[in-house]
Amino acid sequence: METVTGHVTGINSNMANVIFEGAVRKNEVGYILVGDKRLKGEVIRITNGIASMQIYEMSNGIKVGDPVEFTGELMSVDLGPGILTQIYDGLQNPLPELAEQCGFFLQRGVYLDAIPNRDWEFTPVAKVGDNVVAGDTIGTVPEGIFTHKIMVPFTLQGDDWVVKSIKSKGSYNVRSTICVISNGAGEEKELSMVITQPIKQPIKCYEERLRPDEPLIMKLRCVDAFLPVAKGGTFCVPGPFGAGKTVLQHMEAKNGEADIVVIAACGERAGEVVEVLTEFPELDDPRTGRSLMERTIIICNTSSMPVAAREASCYTAVTIAEYYRQMGLNVLLLADSTSRWAQAMREMSGRLEEIPGEEAFPAYLESTIATFYERAGKVRLKDGSIGSVTIGGTVSPAGGNFEEPVTQATLKVVGAFHGLSRERSDARKYPAIHPMDSWSKYPGIIEMDLVERARGILRRSIEINQMMKVVGEEGTTAEDYITYQKGELLDAVYLQQNSFDPIDAACPPERQKIEFDVLYDSLMQKYDLEDKDEIRSFFNQLRQEFLDWHGTVFETPEFEAQKTKITDLYKSKALA
């Protein structure tokens, strides 16, 4: 295929206008030649023979007349064994190898192979003469604790492809030809363990898309019981700066019952990303007892990196997540923070001189965010297995204003909203999810009517608390004061967890159900208490007993003894 070339006619920060001759399409990759450097870019608009390219590198030094080469290929990622444990930038360059080659300061125009060049033990599944289509498994290799499926490229067109030859069981290089397929027209394709997938084309090689109705356990009581997330669902975590969004995502990555965790740091501050990079390799995986990094992939594009690559990092992450879903695995994708991605979109929109929407964000902000979250889903594959991609994105609204465009656009497409509160964060409540402002459309581990009754008590408690700020405790009836204390009890002993306690930091669903049943029973009781000092003293004692219960090991005599002690305590004050 003839290479299409052109030259720069204008440059505005990280957007270049390029005049070209030949055929160029949207989302095609091109390289601007600056001296001995090849700077990667993507075509985002074509008008009258001029392509507007967003440059994924620092653009200083680019000038009018610089030559441009178009590759004819869409912006893509490499998929295959060896992706797990990797730390990539938004363009899928492995950052440790990049740092080794470039030193402390990454050089622009340096692009490395995303998948390590090594041998894998290949076991064929397909046989000569088998009919194959896009997404079919032709063999497997062991990758850590998983069986990695080697699949026919997802972009393969047609259903008349037949296996012409396939390697026998043995050790082969990841890029060696392991299978040859041909079709009725006489075309042949050589397949290796590595396939290339355009990042803006969802992988749809599955039999059926299913309703996300199975909870994804996070071992956080307020999430699993009150604000559940479903496997294959979506959720967002907006909150002001410093409210604990990143810490909450770390705990979800560690304790979430997903097979693979993909973290996309799309524009987050470098200090927070460094924390992820240093902590994750040292964390023990509660499921396997090994390093959590063995089932984690990190896409790292900090706020100090080129702005345009934030968009690429989101799409790179979701494409990798979809790839592992095709193996029948449950994948959790955490994007931090989508606000920075939206800000990058706003910058590019301004340089394209598009008509601005609210707060100067592009008019297509909502549809772009929706397209990203819609790539989540629970699917039934052609072999009958079930896989899922769950997407959770944080939003960083300026000043904690949830009415701003990015938060509102996200709320229209997600299935659960975990809004963090500055007030609760300042009160050192973890997680700082506001129980009244937040919501979820998914079923949880507790019956929803029971949860709603408990939430009703909490709502009434908050109303009484607001009233007491005006009239004081003296102007409150004993009945209202008991309701207020019940809400405070629910908040303190169930919605909050002690992240420093090795037992309470992660609460399994079986334990959550038992603790909720006991707490719910205590909330539904009518108490024989009249004096406010007596009411306060009783609920303080009950709260402390619950907190002590959280520190006992589950399903031990101590756990059962504390449960009995709590039950005896609240029933001793309950009306018959």
Side-chain angles (χ1 to χ4, degrees):
M1 187 176 67
E2 187 178 344
T3 303
V4 177
T5 59
H7 63 268
V8 176
T9 61
I11 180 75
N12 181 2
S13 188
N14 65 325
M15 191 197 76
N17 287 331
V18 178
I19 192 167
F20 64 92
E21 290 184 5
V24 172
R25 54 182 170 166
K26 190 179 178 185
N27 300 133
E28 184 174 333
V29 174
Y31 290 91
I32 298 179
L33 279 59
V34 181
D36 61 345
K37 302 289 186 185
R38 288 164 52 85
L39 305 185
K40 192 171 188 176
E42 179 189 5
V43 176
I44 55 176
R45 187 173 69 181
I46 302 172
T47 311
N48 298 326
I50 295 180
S52 298
M53 291 176 60
Q54 59 179 356
I55 312 303
Y56 290 122
E57 303 280 9
M58 295 298 181
S59 56
N60 49 309
I62 299 176
K63 57 185 181 297
V64 172
D66 281 345
V68 179
E69 292 179 358
F70 294 95
T71 63
E73 299 174 353
L74 298 179
M75 188 69 188
S76 304
V77 291
D78 287 341
L79 304 171
I83 293 180
L84 280 182
T85 75
Q86 292 288 340
I87 301 169
Y88 295 118
D89 67 2
L91 305 180
Q92 214 194 5
N93 292 304
L95 282 174
E97 285 81 357
L98 207 60
E100 193 175 314
Q101 182 171 324
C102 301
F104 285 111
F105 299 98
L106 302 182
Q107 299 170 15
R108 61 181 186 163
V110 179
Y111 309 107
L112 304 178
D113 288 335
I115 295 177
N117 191 34
R118 55 163 288 193
D119 294 347
W120 293 89
E121 285 295 325
F122 175 74
T123 303
V125 172
K127 303 184 294 295
V128 173
D130 284 357
N131 182 265
V132 292
V133 295
D136 280 358
T137 302
I138 57 174
T140 63
V141 300
E143 184 183 16
I145 59 175
F146 302 104
T147 298
H148 191 112
K149 295 180 179 179
I150 307 301
M151 291 174 275
V152 177
F154 307 116
T155 53
L156 185 73
Q157 300 293 319
D159 56 4
D160 60 342
W161 293 90
V162 175
V163 176
K164 187 176 180 181
S165 67
I166 189 166
K167 295 285 189 182
S168 58
K169 184 175 181 179
S171 181
Y172 303 99
N173 185 272
V174 72
R175 290 179 175 80
S176 298
T177 299
I178 55 168
C179 180
V180 178
I181 59 175
S182 61
N183 64 4
E187 295 179 81
E188 287 190 359
K189 288 187 181 292
E190 296 182 348
L191 307 182
S192 70
M193 299 183 199
V194 178
I195 59 179
T196 301
Q197 174 66 24
I199 60 176
K200 294 183 180 176
Q201 289 183 8
I203 299 172
K204 296 184 177 180
C205 300
Y206 47 79
E207 193 70 31
E208 182 185 6
R209 193 177 178 96
L210 305 174
R211 182 180 179 86
D213 54 5
E214 180 186 355
L216 176 64
I217 303 301
M218 298 290 190
K219 296 185 179 177
L220 295 167
R221 288 187 292 266
C222 69
V223 173
D224 295 338
F226 278 69
L227 304 162
V229 174
K231 288 181 180 177
T234 54
F235 66 100
C236 70
V237 186
F241 297 104
K245 297 186 295 295
T246 305
V247 172
L248 181 58
Q249 281 203 329
H250 291 184
M251 294 305 293
E252 289 170 342
K254 180 180 178 181
N255 297 319
E257 291 191 352
D259 300 309
I260 305 285
V261 178
V262 182
I263 298 176
C266 46
E268 203 46 63
R269 289 172 297 218
E272 296 182 7
V273 178
V274 167
E275 190 178 326
V276 177
L277 299 182
T278 53
E279 280 190 4
F280 266 59
E282 297 180 5
L283 288 176
D284 290 332
D285 185 353
R287 301 179 65 191
T288 64
R290 300 160 71 169
S291 171
L292 182 62
M293 199 65 199
E294 289 188 18
R295 59 181 183 92
T296 303
I297 304 159
I298 299 175
I299 314 295
C300 176
N301 194 88
T302 64
S303 55
S304 57
M305 289 179 167
V307 170
R310 294 179 190 177
E311 180 187 25
S313 62
C314 286
Y315 288 111
T316 296
V318 76
T319 304
I320 292 173
E322 288 176 329
Y323 175 61
Y324 280 100
R325 178 176 67 184
Q326 288 296 126
M327 300 181 200
L329 299 174
N330 295 310
V331 187
L332 174 61
L333 167 59
L334 299 171
D336 187 18
S337 136
T338 55
S339 291
R340 311 284 168 77
W341 168 34
Q343 289 164 10
M345 272 195 282
R346 179 166 61 184
E347 286 191 31
M348 291 309 304
S349 177
R351 285 164 194 155
L352 289 168
E353 298 180 358
E354 296 171 335
I355 297 174
E358 188 180 355
E359 292 190 20
F361 284 104
Y364 49 81
L365 174 71
E366 287 187 10
S367 61
T368 304
I369 288 176
T371 302
F372 171 68
Y373 279 101
E374 283 167 2
R375 291 177 69 168
K378 179 181 175 183
V379 300
R380 179 183 290 110
L381 303 172
K382 293 172 183 176
D383 62 1
S385 60
I386 305 293
S388 69
V389 170
T390 307
I391 298 181
T394 67
V395 188
S396 306
N401 174 25
F402 289 174
E403 300 302 315
E404 58 89 40
V406 182
T407 306
Q408 289 301 308
T410 305
L411 288 180
K412 290 178 181 178
V413 294
V414 296
F417 165 61
H418 299 165
L420 300 185
S421 158
R422 167 64 69 192
E423 181 185 354
R424 293 175 71 81
S425 172
D426 290 346
R428 298 295 185 266
K429 292 182 177 181
Y430 168 81
I433 299 173
H434 197 291
M436 293 293 102
D437 294 346
S438 305
W439 47 261
S440 173
K441 300 176 183 176
Y442 301 121
I445 61 172
I446 310 292
E447 290 182 31
M448 291 312 294
D449 58 338
L450 301 182
V451 171
E452 284 306 312
R453 284 183 206 165
R455 196 195 298 270
I457 290 176
L458 185 60
R459 184 180 294 107
R460 178 60 183 151
S461 172
I462 292 172
E463 291 172 357
I464 294 168
N465 184 31
Q466 295 298 323
M467 182 179 67
M468 285 197 302
K469 288 179 180 178
V470 178
V471 300
E473 283 186 12
E474 308 79 35
T476 310
T477 65
E479 183 181 354
D480 280 352
Y481 194 65
I482 289 174
T483 303
Y484 161 69
Q485 289 290 354
K486 283 181 177 179
E488 290 290 296
L489 177 69
L490 170 61
D491 190 0
V493 307
Y494 203 81
L495 300 182
Q496 302 306 311
Q497 287 178 235
N498 184 352
S499 60
F500 296 105
D501 189 306
I503 298 174
D504 196 34
C507 189
E510 299 79 15
R511 179 170 188 151
Q512 290 186 42
K513 292 175 184 176
I514 293 172
E515 291 184 358
F516 181 84
D517 288 343
V518 174
L519 177 62
Y520 181 80
D521 190 40
S522 69
L523 296 177
M524 294 299 114
Q525 301 288 340
K526 291 189 176 180
Y527 292 103
D528 185 18
L529 301 167
E530 292 294 335
D531 181 71
K532 290 189 176 63
D533 288 335
E534 185 185 6
I535 295 169
R536 190 185 306 109
S537 175
F538 166 72
F539 277 99
N540 284 343
Q541 184 183 355
L542 189 57
R543 178 187 300 133
Q544 189 57 52
E545 295 297 346
F546 268 106
L547 296 177
D548 291 345
W549 194 24
H550 293 332
T552 60
V553 179
F554 186 48
E555 293 181 332
T556 60
E558 291 79 13
F559 179 85
E560 294 299 328
Q562 188 64 20
K563 174 185 174 183
T564 304
K565 186 177 180 181
I566 292 170
T567 306
D568 292 344
L569 174 61
Y570 71 73
K571 286 188 174 178
S572 67
K573 297 292 184 178
L575 290 168

